[in-house]
Amino acid sequence: EEEEEEEEDPPADEAEREFRTWRRHIFRRARAAFWFRSAAEGGHPGAAYELALLFKEGHKEGSDVTKETHVPFPRDTKLSSQWFGRAAEAGNSLAQYEYAMCLLDGEGVERDPEQACEWLERSAAQGVAQAHYQLGMC
């Protein structure tokens, strides 16, 4: 008796491979968002910053869901600014910069250039180059 070699069937075609890759990517993003939110709610400023970025980059209605950069939930500037604010309060320098930009542009919060400049000063004091640049416009 000869042992038959078992070969793993490859995906039926390229489209199926692409779909599987896309599905894994979307699942990873959704799972990451879950863990970022859990950690952020527990007070982790880095997780709050990452969660805010996901809400900032969320998909817009009609966006191409097949793109690798697709985020599996809608863009939400209000939630994004809230999480940037929490992370900024906890001392995250990049969140301080992003929150300042929200305040400058009125993205998800009421526009407040004076408060934005204060957050830019905090961020710049921690070495964020973009904050130094934006301070020149305050």
Side-chain angles (χ1 to χ4, degrees):
E1 283 181 43
E2 288 184 33
E3 288 184 34
E4 290 183 30
E5 286 186 35
E6 287 187 36
E7 291 184 23
E8 188 175 320
D9 289 335
D13 60 8
E14 185 64 26
E16 187 175 340
R17 275 194 292 278
E18 287 180 16
F19 172 75
R20 287 181 183 187
T21 300
W22 171 80
R23 187 176 59 194
R24 280 191 306 271
H25 172 76
I26 295 302
F27 180 70
R28 279 190 298 249
R29 284 257 180 151
R31 189 172 40 193
F34 171 81
W35 289 113
F36 284 143
R37 178 172 230 134
S38 294
E41 288 173 349
H44 191 284
Y49 170 75
E50 293 295 336
L51 182 62
L53 284 177
L54 286 174
F55 281 117
K56 180 181 176 181
E57 297 168 1
H59 72 266
K60 296 177 184 169
E61 194 169 321
S63 67
D64 185 356
V65 298
T66 63
K67 288 190 175 182
E68 191 170 308
T69 57
H70 179 75
V71 177
F73 44 87
R75 183 173 190 250
D76 189 326
T77 56
K78 186 174 180 181
L79 281 174
S80 177
S81 64
Q82 287 174 358
W83 285 110
F84 280 137
R86 286 187 188 186
E89 288 284 348
N92 184 291
S93 61
L94 295 174
Q96 290 169 343
Y97 169 77
E98 291 289 347
Y99 188 58
M101 298 310 295
C102 291
L103 290 165
L104 277 176
D105 299 334
E107 287 282 326
V109 292
E110 188 173 323
R111 192 172 184 283
D112 188 341
E114 188 176 314
Q115 189 179 9
C117 290
E118 291 174 17
W119 282 111
L120 286 171
E121 287 174 4
R122 291 182 189 187
S123 181
Q126 294 190 65
V128 177
Q130 303 99 310
H132 285 282
Y133 174 79
Q134 288 294 329
L135 272 173
M137 296 183 208
C138 282

